[in-house]
Amino acid sequence: MALRIVLISIFLSGVCGFLPSRVPGFRYPMPFFGSMAEKVLENPKWPPEWPYSEMDFKRMDESDDKIFYESPRLCYHIDDAAVNALTAYYSKCFKEGEDVLDICSSWVSHFPKEWKGGRVAGLGMNEYELSQNPQLTEFAVKNLNEEPVFPYEDNSFDKLTCVVSVDYLNKPKEVFQEIGRVLRPGGECILSMSNRCFPTKAFQIWLQTNDLEHIFIAGSFFHYSGLFEPPSCDDISPNPGATDPMYIVKATKKSN
């Protein structure tokens, strides 16, 4: 585990200049980041093979996730400014009539209200939350940490979104294979990330790294799947240092 964190620090050293010692939950002051977040994936030095161990995806609370998500949480998990920034971002990249899958979905997907999608599916853990999401045309309840298989056919969606939840997926290698499977060629996966989480359910390496490294880690999931064009990052943080940061890590499914 420590070796892998050192390796990630080395890969990012050209971007960051230096990285502080690992402290669980440590976050850089936001002014340090600025546009640096967008540089993390410009020329990443990926290890030749999947660099993570099973321990990297262990969590403080390994009890059944169904228990944790049993009670509905009809609240935002990022502040209003970050929500608005994410919705504005979607409004620029969503096209009318597109089929979209929102994984780790809940009562709100933060999609633009004026956007008219085609098939808009939600895949999440709490049935009541999903039933309250007015933008979904359908939903399914699925624990991806128990069975990382999407209940959809190949090449079903134009876009796939995941809002501040990639850090809860303890089988990312399998999940990103599924993301690539259900996206159509040329389809795009959009991961949004901030610096909030339920620490007992986030996987270990996430808690021991900072926001810039989170971008690298999320980008690596696309890379090692072998199904995507090189990932990139957009920093859409609305008020750096004053409100929640918001980073987009995205990648397009290969056409061949």
Side-chain angles (χ1 to χ4, degrees), residues 93-95 98-101 155-161 179-190 222 227-230 250-256:
C93 58
F94 280 18
K95 297 177 182 178
E98 282 191 317
D99 298 325
V100 177
L101 171 61
N155 306 319
S156 293
F157 298 98
D158 302 298
K159 294 278 195 307
L160 186 146
T161 59
I179 291 173
R181 180 182 67 79
V182 302
L183 277 174
R184 293 171 179 139
E188 187 176 44
C189 176
I190 301 171
F222 287 118
L227 300 175
F228 293 88
E229 301 293 344
K250 62 183 180 178
T252 300
K253 181 180 176 179
K254 293 177 180 178
S255 297
N256 53 6

Side-chain angles (χ1 to χ4, degrees), residues 129-240:
E129 287 184 15
L130 292 166
S131 72
Q132 298 303 297
N133 189 327
Q135 294 185 302
L136 301 180
T137 61
E138 63 181 86
F139 65 83
V141 177
K142 188 72 182 285
N143 182 356
L144 295 176
N145 288 337
E146 186 176 88
E147 184 185 12
V149 178
F150 297 173
Y152 309 106
E153 296 181 357
D154 297 357
N155 306 319
S156 293
F157 298 98
D158 302 298
K159 294 278 195 307
L160 186 146
T161 59
C162 180
V163 179
V164 294
S165 295
V166 69
D167 47 318
Y168 303 128
L169 298 171
N170 66 6
K171 296 181 175 64
K173 196 171 187 179
E174 294 85 348
V175 167
F176 277 72
Q177 287 289 324
E178 284 293 283
I179 291 173
R181 180 182 67 79
V182 302
L183 277 174
R184 293 171 179 139
E188 187 176 44
C189 176
I190 301 171
L191 309 177
S192 55
M193 310 186 309
S194 189
N195 62 358
R196 295 194 189 191
C197 70
F198 296 116
T200 59
K201 284 298 184 180
F203 50 71
Q204 182 171 286
I205 196 170
W206 198 267
L207 296 179
Q208 296 181 328
T209 48
N210 60 67
D211 288 358
L212 291 183
E213 292 166 311
H214 294 165
I215 293 167
F216 183 90
I217 291 168
S220 78
F221 296 158
F222 287 118
H223 171 76
Y224 291 110
S225 75
L227 300 175
F228 293 88
E229 301 293 344
S232 62
C233 174
D234 291 326
D235 183 353
I236 61 170
S237 302
N239 304 294

Side-chain angles (χ1 to χ4, degrees), residues 14-41:
V15 174
C16 305
F18 69 95
L19 294 173
S21 59
R22 296 279 67 78
V23 179
F26 179 88
R27 295 291 180 267
Y28 281 107
M30 284 308 300
F32 176 84
F33 281 162
S35 63
M36 294 180 69
E38 298 186 350
K39 297 180 180 179
V40 172
L41 297 177

